[in-house]
Amino acid sequence: GQNIDQPTEMTATEGAIVQINCTYQTSGFNGLFWYQQHAGEAPTFLSYNVLDGLEEKGRFSSFLSRSKGYSYLLLKELQMKDSASYLCAVDDYKLSFGAGTTVTVRA
Amino acid sequence: GAVVTQHPSWVICKSGTSVKIECRSLDFQATTMFWYRQFPKQSLMLMATSNEGSKATYEQGVEKDKFLINHASLTLSTLTVTSAHPEDSSFYICSARRATRGVETQYFGPGTRLLVL
């Protein structure tokens, strides 16, 4: 079975940094995705990690440790528009999603 | 990036009717598409994997006779909710896999919101 855990909610102020952790125990692993989902909309792709280490894309970075079954998404210089749900998904050809972390950015 | 569309974007229907949702990949061919369902404040749950030219693979607990999937071409998959009931009201999202620079990514459609009265 698939077990993917991430915090339910996080709150941060504009301009700050927030780190969303994701731990997983899955039967297979072909990589890990992070998606952003605004309320009422479909998820949009943020990042993909298949090898250990840090992937940086602008204000967003994602880290993976396969031996620990652990990933995090780092959001820097937070903006109000970053308020959304962030989904961790493990790829075993088909995606298994965590429950999502709702990030609220306050002024 | 890759574009996946869905039609309709929202639908309201009476209980007992059937509803068809289309998922198209606009600028690439997708031999495999996925159908998800998302209830309010919950994560996406995979319903089935749609394979072009063959039968869909359904996840445990998903009734294949109720949720009919047809992947008739490399750019189109359809999900038909048969004899819809109020508990089928949900946000239905499709996705398609595409390899870009050796990385396979799933691109999601905008979703279809279904309300069964």
Side-chain angles (χ1 to χ4, degrees), chain A residues 63-74:
Chain A
F63 172 84
L64 174 67
S65 170
R66 289 171 297 171
S67 62
K68 295 181 179 178
Y70 168 70
S71 173
Y72 68 73
L73 178 69
L74 194 69

Side-chain angles (χ1 to χ4, degrees), chain A residues 35 37 42 91 93-94 98, chain B residues 32 38 43 59 97 104 106 109:
Chain A
Y35 287 88
Q37 186 178 26
D91 184 16
Y93 189 70
K94 51 187 183 183
Chain B
T32 303
Q38 186 177 34
S43 192
E59 294 301 301
R97 290 185 78 97
E104 284 219 355
Q106 280 202 30

Side-chain angles (χ1 to χ4, degrees), chain A residues 60-107:
Chain A
F60 295 173
S61 303
S62 58
F63 172 84
L64 174 67
S65 170
R66 289 171 297 171
S67 62
K68 295 181 179 178
Y70 168 70
S71 173
Y72 68 73
L73 178 69
L74 194 69
L75 314 179
K76 294 180 279 190
E77 300 172 19
L78 279 173
Q79 301 175 7
M80 299 298 288
K81 66 179 182 179
D82 297 330
S83 292
S85 181
Y86 292 85
L87 307 173
C88 169
V90 172
D91 184 16
D92 184 13
Y93 189 70
K94 51 187 183 183
L95 293 183
S96 296
F97 284 87
T101 299
T102 300
V103 172
T104 302
V105 181
R106 294 181 175 168

